[in-house]
Amino acid sequence: MTGDLLIRSVRPWPDSPDAPAVDVLCADGALASFGPALQAPPGVPVVDGRGGVLLPSFADVHAHLDSNRLGLPFRPHTAGPGLADLVENDRRHWRTAERGVAERATHALGRTIAAGATLVRSHAQVDVDSGLDRLEGVLAAREAHADRAAVEVVAFPQCGVLREKGTADLLEAALLAGADLVGGLDPAGYDRDPVRHLDVVFGLADKHQRGVDVHLHDAGSLGAFQVELICERVAALDMRGRVTVSHAFALSTVDSDRQRELVELLAAHDVAVTTVAPGAREPLPLRRLRREGVRLGLGQDGMRDYWSPYGNGDMLDRAWQLAYRSGFRQDELVGMCVDIATRGGASVLGVPHGLTEGSPADLVVVPGDTVTAAVMDRAPRTLVVRAGRVVAAGGELV
């Protein structure tokens, strides 16, 4: 029966590590009951969780599936140090990959699912060089894994909105072709005209009733100013709950009082934030963001691409990176990073997610005595379940 499943012997998080294992019954794609020695209704498949920790599945809410090189021969990093250098390096090389965009994106998405993510938001580059080719590759990957994961796609102007004539028209074409959100990139620092940039992005979002996800690398007061501009657009167009600021480096590069103001502003306008736990930037104020009620998620960003050699498609590995970069040692703080990588990401996408009866049966079982142990060991996932169906086991798709 579709969406019906009995999982034996798991320990739902955040139960005590010495709590006895229970069984979990999924019915019609949702969590139906938890308890010892549950009986499977006739015809319902039964799988063994082997005493592992049961989590809501991971949500990778900031990926770039179109640019990854997972599974391909390693290429040395050849870009210069600045954002423009990275953008141009990608533009020079993406067509020379040994496989096309659709094949690479499908492979990377499969790896991400096998590692426990069933919710994904991927940016797809749209510009006058690539047209809609890269978007179409990501859409093909979404279709290939439609039964294994829910994937949102952002039409992403990696080369800016204003620098090249025709980009705005391509963004609109991307929305008509199947993109779910319209993206932006450093309206001030890269495009050098934040008002016009946001006019285009929010104008398209309003016209087509889509969400917005803006890459905001600009730091300090410049980045803070753009956070304010974004929130002004959210209020003017009544887009609360439909806008995300990715990276948001300004939050970790202003003083504490200014940071508090920005976090409160994001919370008041229900603007979500995503981070990728970057290695070269100060970590975001995770506890302050969560305390104020800002929806906060985690993503892989690029995966062994023309921007960076890092990334492997594993959101448990990225949760480790978030905890490590934040200097967390206590179990509750490591667990907070796992929550950001699971429930937090789902909140960015605006979908229900959890381990209560009635929640969607999107689950991952990870080996480990505790959640902290699972993060530190990062063993292959025992089971990955999407809507009550096993889609991966032992780190491999099924």
Side-chain angles (χ1 to χ4, degrees):
M1 286 177 269
T2 301
D4 295 350
L5 180 71
L6 180 65
I7 308 173
R8 294 212 179 276
S9 187
V10 291
R11 290 173 294 120
W13 179 61
D15 286 353
S16 168
D18 55 5
V22 300
D23 300 339
V24 179
L25 180 64
C26 307
D28 294 325
L31 294 174
S33 59
F34 298 79
L38 294 180
Q39 295 301 309
V44 171
V46 179
V47 292
D48 188 0
R50 301 178 186 175
V53 178
L54 179 72
L55 302 170
S57 63
F58 294 108
D60 182 345
V61 290
H62 189 99
H64 289 268
L65 294 173
D66 59 317
S67 62
N68 88 92
R69 289 184 51 82
L70 291 180
L72 298 181
F74 185 80
R75 287 192 182 184
H77 184 66
T78 56
L83 178 62
D85 296 315
L86 290 163
V87 169
E88 288 305 314
N89 189 61
D90 180 273
R91 179 175 269 189
R92 284 194 301 270
H93 294 291
W94 74 273
R95 283 191 176 90
T96 67
E98 294 84 346
R99 298 174 185 167
V101 175
E103 188 175 357
R104 289 186 287 113
T106 300
H107 174 74
L109 181 56
R111 288 273 296 269
T112 300
I113 295 165
T118 66
L119 301 172
V120 176
R121 176 182 287 179
S122 177
H123 300 263
Q125 184 163 330
V126 175
D127 64 10
V128 298
D129 170 64
S130 60
L132 300 184
D133 290 355
R134 297 173 71 150
L135 171 77
E136 290 167 354
V138 175
L139 293 176
R142 175 169 72 179
E143 179 63 25
H145 291 291
D147 292 335
R148 300 186 178 104
V151 180
E152 286 188 351
V153 180
V154 184
F156 176 47
Q158 178 97 290
C159 301
V161 173
L162 307 176
R163 287 181 170 223
E164 297 176 331
K165 185 177 180 181
T167 301
D169 292 337
L170 283 167
L171 288 174
E172 182 164 32
L175 295 175
L176 295 173
D180 303 288
L181 299 94
V182 58
L185 172 72
D186 294 337
Y190 194 73
D191 253 352
R192 306 181 71 83
D193 191 336
V195 172
R196 285 182 59 213
H197 182 109
L198 294 176
D199 280 346
V200 173
V201 171
F202 278 87
L204 288 171
D206 185 47
K207 177 179 178 181
H208 295 280
Q209 289 300 291
R210 307 296 175 86
V212 168
D213 191 327
V214 178
H215 282 59
L216 190 56
H217 307 96
D218 289 338
S221 59
L222 182 61
F225 170 61
Q226 291 167 88
V227 170
E228 293 174 335
L229 290 180
I230 289 169
C231 289
E232 287 177 4
R233 302 299 178 112
V234 169
L237 296 172
D238 192 20
M239 290 187 64
R240 287 174 174 82
R242 298 169 55 202
V243 175
T244 301
V245 176
S246 292
H247 302 305
F249 293 150
L251 298 180
S252 57
T253 51
V254 294
D255 63 38
S256 181
D257 288 342
R258 185 67 168 128
Q259 180 189 90
R260 174 182 51 78
E261 292 173 356
L262 292 174
V263 171
E264 290 176 352
L265 186 68
L266 291 166
H269 291 80
D270 194 13
V271 173
V273 171
T274 63
T275 183
V276 299
R281 297 279 187 167
E282 286 298 311
L284 294 188
L286 306 181
R287 284 174 281 189
R288 173 171 269 177
L289 285 161
R290 285 167 62 90
R291 186 169 61 246
E292 294 298 329
V294 176
R295 292 176 293 120
L296 175 63
L298 180 66
Q300 280 279 304
D301 207 6
M303 292 173 273
R304 189 176 284 196
D305 58 15
Y306 302 106
W307 284 62
S308 165
Y310 295 97
N312 58 8
D314 187 345
M315 283 297 295
L316 186 59
D317 187 71
R318 190 53 57 118
W320 175 92
Q321 184 172 320
L322 181 63
Y324 180 77
R325 287 286 298 125
S326 300
F328 293 160
R329 299 183 182 185
Q330 295 91 344
D331 286 359
E332 62 269 23
L333 294 178
V334 175
M336 181 181 73
C337 293
V338 173
D339 194 60
I340 292 169
T342 55
R343 295 183 183 94
S347 74
V348 172
L349 302 179
V351 299
H353 206 45
L355 294 181
T356 57
E357 291 182 7
S359 295
D362 277 26
L363 309 164
V364 58
V365 180
V366 295
D369 299 328
T370 66
V371 166
T372 300
V375 172
M376 298 307 143
D377 294 340
R378 302 185 296 287
R381 311 304 101 89
T382 305
L383 295 168
V384 182
V385 176
R386 164 69 175 160
R389 293 177 55 252
V390 175
V391 296
E396 299 294 335
L397 295 177
V398 298

